Amino acid sequence: MDSIWDKFTKMYREKRQVSLLTWTYVVISVAVIIVAGLIALINQSVGVAVLIIPLVAIAAMCANIMVWSLIRFILETHEQKAKAKARSEKQTKKKIAKK
């Protein structure tokens, strides 16, 4: 069974997910804004009420980006520590092998 760190590292390496998620939110928001504008031509109060959907989508996108940035920061720090530990172990083995 993979650990949580392995799953997060795998998701981090697939960098296309964030850009795909961002573009999906943008497309949905623009489409709903256009539909809300058309509805507002018929009934202004309903059209304005429909504008809540892109507002929520943009807020969710911002939250997703912030969480993704936090996960990215944590994973990069974890990977740097792992690399430094591996280098120090490798140097220790070389010193032991020389003796």
Side-chain angles (χ1 to χ4, degrees), residues 85-99:
K85 185 177 178 182
R87 273 189 247 127
S88 66
E89 288 176 358
K90 187 176 179 180
Q91 289 174 353
T92 304
K93 288 179 182 179
K94 284 183 180 180
K95 287 180 183 178
I96 293 172
K98 287 182 181 179
K99 292 181 181 180

Side-chain angles (χ1 to χ4, degrees), residues 1 3 6 22 25 40 43 45 47 49 55-56 59 68 74 77 84 92:
M1 182 185 244
S3 68
D6 293 336
T22 303
Y25 278 118
N43 189 344
S45 60
L55 176 67
V56 170
W68 186 259
I74 291 169
T77 304
T92 304

Side-chain angles (χ1 to χ4, degrees), residues 5-21:
W5 284 111
D6 293 336
K7 291 179 182 179
F8 279 130
T9 305
K10 181 180 176 184
M11 287 189 292
Y12 169 71
R13 289 184 180 141
E14 297 170 0
K15 296 179 181 180
R16 298 253 180 216
Q17 291 179 351
V18 176
S19 61
L20 180 62
L21 181 68

